[in-house]
Amino acid sequence: MSYLGDVLHPALPVKPLRESVDESKPPSTAEEYLQRVVLEAAGCEDVVVAEVDRTQFASKQTGVFQNIPGCAQAPSHLTPSLEWQQKQVSDFSMVRRKLAQMKSLPAPVSSVELPDEDDEKGWLLFCLGSEVQISHLDKEMGNSETEAVEGQLPLVSTIVSMNQPTVEQILDYHINWLQESTQLTAQQGRWLYALLAALELPLTPEICFLLRTLARECSRLRALVAEVESQQEMVSPLNLLICLVALYFRQADLADV
């Protein structure tokens, strides 16, 4: 234990073991027990590595690793510049600081009643509200009735009244809805931006996975609208979300370069 002597200081003073002690017999006192522990530790190596025959496990491997692709690169004329991306990250950072300051204050009284956290349909109506979205979810749930409902804006009073588990759950809902869509609406873009601004750091592995899924879905939708000249104005919101995930939340391998 040579190199560990500087860090492993004895907790109790222990005298050296007398040579006349018969080590084949149990210790007769607590001090003698500690003396034998010190003597035994002195004979141990600092690092011990077990010798394991790893070939015996080769036929028992069941792990499957899926290679998940990154973001599809935008056409060169739609790829955001580095200066633009840095500006968006700076603005987003400022929004997060202001939102954190608002959360530190007494919660404002909100006149809007939020759905239960596990009520996906309720949140779909609350956030997006369109009849198309309602009809889509009702079809999955076996309900043919639809109604036109206007979605709520992600107001500061609404966002600061949501605890972190709710923010993460609603973000999960939005990403699931986005995976079923062929476009990012302005309303959903507002909600995604607001939920990202409310995310607390450090990220859990589950939220990190959600953000990477969001960036990949945005790149998928960007590839669709990039082919239609009349829809290319929708590229900027998609670029923005990809930029925030890649540069602010440090998923750099997904960044547009």
Side-chain angles (χ1 to χ4, degrees):
M1 300 178 66
S2 57
Y3 79 95
L4 295 178
D6 293 336
V7 294
L8 295 181
H9 300 293
L12 297 171
V14 180
K15 297 179 180 179
L17 188 65
R18 291 181 288 108
E19 296 182 359
S20 59
V21 172
D22 186 358
E23 297 185 22
S24 64
K25 297 180 180 180
S28 58
T29 65
E31 182 182 30
E32 186 180 339
Y33 171 78
L34 293 176
Q35 289 171 336
R36 293 194 186 189
V37 171
V38 172
L39 183 63
E40 183 180 354
C44 296
E45 296 290 338
D46 292 337
V47 178
V48 178
V49 180
E51 295 183 2
V52 179
D53 181 12
R54 301 179 186 278
T55 59
Q56 62 181 312
F57 305 112
S59 61
K60 301 178 182 180
Q61 299 300 311
T62 58
V64 177
F65 298 92
Q66 182 179 4
N67 183 21
I68 301 178
C71 289
Q73 290 297 316
S76 57
H77 66 287
L78 298 178
T79 301
S81 66
L82 180 59
E83 292 77 11
W84 182 87
Q85 295 184 68
Q86 291 173 339
K87 179 66 166 57
Q88 304 312 312
V89 170
S90 176
D91 292 346
F92 182 68
S93 181
M94 182 175 64
V95 170
R96 283 177 59 88
R97 286 196 299 271
K98 291 184 176 180
L99 192 60
Q101 293 172 358
M102 292 290 296
K103 284 189 173 184
S104 66
L105 300 175
V109 178
S110 177
S111 59
V112 179
E113 182 178 355
L114 300 180
D116 292 336
E117 184 179 320
D118 58 353
D119 182 7
E120 182 176 358
K121 180 180 178 181
W123 278 105
L124 183 61
L125 296 173
F126 184 84
C127 296
L128 306 182
S130 72
E131 186 174 343
V132 174
Q133 293 286 353
I134 299 169
S135 180
H136 169 73
L137 193 60
D138 281 337
K139 183 178 179 181
E140 289 185 349
M141 296 181 174
N143 182 2
S144 60
E145 296 181 3
T146 63
E147 55 178 321
V149 178
E150 185 177 354
Q152 300 286 333
L153 291 173
L155 303 177
V156 172
S157 59
T158 301
I159 298 299
V160 299
S161 67
M162 297 164 60
N163 59 31
Q164 194 60 198
T166 300
V167 170
E168 294 175 358
Q169 181 61 72
I170 309 314
L171 179 62
D172 189 9
Y173 288 155
H174 273 276
I175 294 173
N176 289 337
W177 302 332
L178 197 63
Q179 290 178 305
E180 301 289 334
S181 302
T182 56
Q183 64 174 339
L184 173 70
T185 64
Q187 177 73 354
Q188 189 170 22
R190 297 185 191 101
W191 269 100
L192 285 168
Y193 189 93
L195 292 169
L196 292 181
L199 270 184
E200 294 179 359
L201 298 177
L203 300 177
T204 63
E206 294 77 12
I207 297 305
C208 186
F209 175 78
L210 277 181
L211 294 184
R212 294 181 66 83
T213 302
L214 172 61
R216 285 193 293 268
E217 285 304 310
C218 287
S219 72
R220 175 184 66 84
L221 296 178
R222 182 175 63 183
L224 294 177
V225 301
E227 299 175 357
V228 183
E229 186 173 353
S230 61
Q231 296 182 355
Q232 291 185 1
E233 70 275 3
M234 292 301 301
V235 170
S236 289
L238 295 168
N239 282 345
L240 173 59
L241 294 173
I242 295 171
C243 165
L244 297 180
V245 170
L247 300 186
Y248 186 88
F249 292 104
R250 300 184 182 279
Q251 307 302 309
D253 59 303
L254 302 178
D256 287 313
V257 295

